[in-house]
Amino acid sequence: IGPTGVGKTKLSISLAKRMNAVIMNADSMQIYKELNIGTAKIKEEEKENIKHHLFDIKNIDEDYTVYDYQIDTRDKIDEILKRGSIPIIVGGTGLYIKAALYDYKFNKEEESNKYLNYSNDELYNKLLTIDPSTTIHKNNKKRIIRALNYYDNNNEILKNNESRNKLLYDAIFIGLTTPRDILYDRINKKK
């Protein structure tokens, strides 16, 4: 894990070669086929014949949620482990990594536009009627609408993921960092 330009790709290739491993994308933008500029997506020649999964799997006009990613990634992890290989998950979208490796619970959610024309106060008051102990801030319109839609679809309040700290896989986390000036210089040189 780490920011764009820190060297995650180079390290993952090196580790994959040494460990009979394959690489899995955990960047929410690298899922999309047409998003190559601005995502620092690995180029074919950089892969060095290492198998890569969950890159370029969706068109930009297709919906793909963290729920979808969780299902796809866990299926792929199980498949890789059954083959006797090791998955190396590389990316910069923290929620994707957490959703894949920890016991996060998601339900398929259907969005509705019926709340878009309400003010923040109206939305917040609606939320308070179904969940008086909500921790969502009244100015976080997006989360309030999500909570209201969740209630409409499931007839229950949206709860915090109490089990989200339970790791489901035997995993080692490697976080890369570098001083900002070096990082910005690397990113600017790739332009």
Side-chain angles (χ1 to χ4, degrees):
I1 57 173
T4 299
V6 77
K8 297 182 302 288
T9 298
K10 186 175 182 179
L11 178 60
S12 68
I13 295 292
S14 177
L15 289 173
K17 286 178 174 179
R18 292 182 186 161
M19 302 169 57
N20 182 33
V22 298
I23 296 172
M24 297 177 60
N25 170 45
D27 184 296
S28 63
M29 295 296 106
Q30 293 184 16
I31 293 289
Y32 295 98
K33 295 175 187 170
E34 295 87 2
L35 294 181
N36 297 327
I37 299 171
T39 62
K41 192 182 297 180
I42 189 168
K43 294 175 179 72
E44 202 56 44
E45 63 271 14
E46 294 173 315
K47 291 181 181 179
E48 297 188 36
N49 295 318
I50 303 295
K51 185 74 175 160
H52 284 66
H53 297 283
L54 299 174
F55 288 89
D56 296 331
I57 62 170
K58 292 291 177 184
N59 294 315
I60 56 173
D61 61 349
E62 292 181 272
D63 287 333
Y64 193 78
T65 65
V66 67
Y67 173 81
D68 299 318
Y69 178 80
Q70 181 183 62
I71 291 168
D72 291 345
T73 303
R74 288 181 182 177
D75 287 346
K76 192 57 71 178
I77 289 171
D78 293 342
E79 175 189 311
I80 291 166
L81 293 174
K82 283 178 187 166
R83 287 194 320 251
S85 192
I86 299 168
I88 297 175
I89 300 174
V90 181
T93 304
L95 184 56
Y96 270 37
I97 294 166
K98 290 175 184 177
L101 300 177
Y102 288 87
D103 194 20
Y104 267 61
K105 304 277 191 268
F106 294 104
N107 292 325
K108 191 70 173 172
E109 296 181 30
E110 292 182 33
E111 286 191 32
S112 167
N113 293 327
K114 72 181 189 180
Y115 295 113
L116 293 179
N117 294 322
Y118 287 87
S119 71
N120 281 17
D121 286 334
E122 291 170 321
L123 290 169
Y124 189 68
N125 288 331
K126 278 184 172 296
L127 179 59
L128 287 176
T129 62
I130 60 169
D131 185 6
S133 62
T134 186
T135 58
I136 300 173
H137 191 277
K138 76 177 203 169
N139 292 330
N140 193 335
K141 188 172 187 172
K142 186 173 184 173
R143 284 195 63 210
I144 293 171
I145 289 173
R146 179 174 175 249
L148 292 170
N149 283 328
Y150 184 89
Y151 181 80
D152 291 346
N153 293 327
N154 299 289
N155 204 27
E156 65 181 24
I157 62 171
L158 182 62
K159 298 180 187 106
N160 288 333
N161 263 304
E162 293 89 14
S163 61
R164 66 180 167 209
N165 292 323
K166 180 182 172 196
L167 190 60
L168 298 176
Y169 300 93
D170 185 14
I172 297 170
F173 291 84
I174 300 172
L176 302 180
T177 188
T178 193
R180 279 185 181 242
D181 57 331
I182 293 171
L183 190 62
Y184 291 157
D185 187 50
R186 287 182 190 166
I187 292 168
N188 287 333
K189 284 179 180 172
K190 285 201 169 212
K191 288 182 181 178

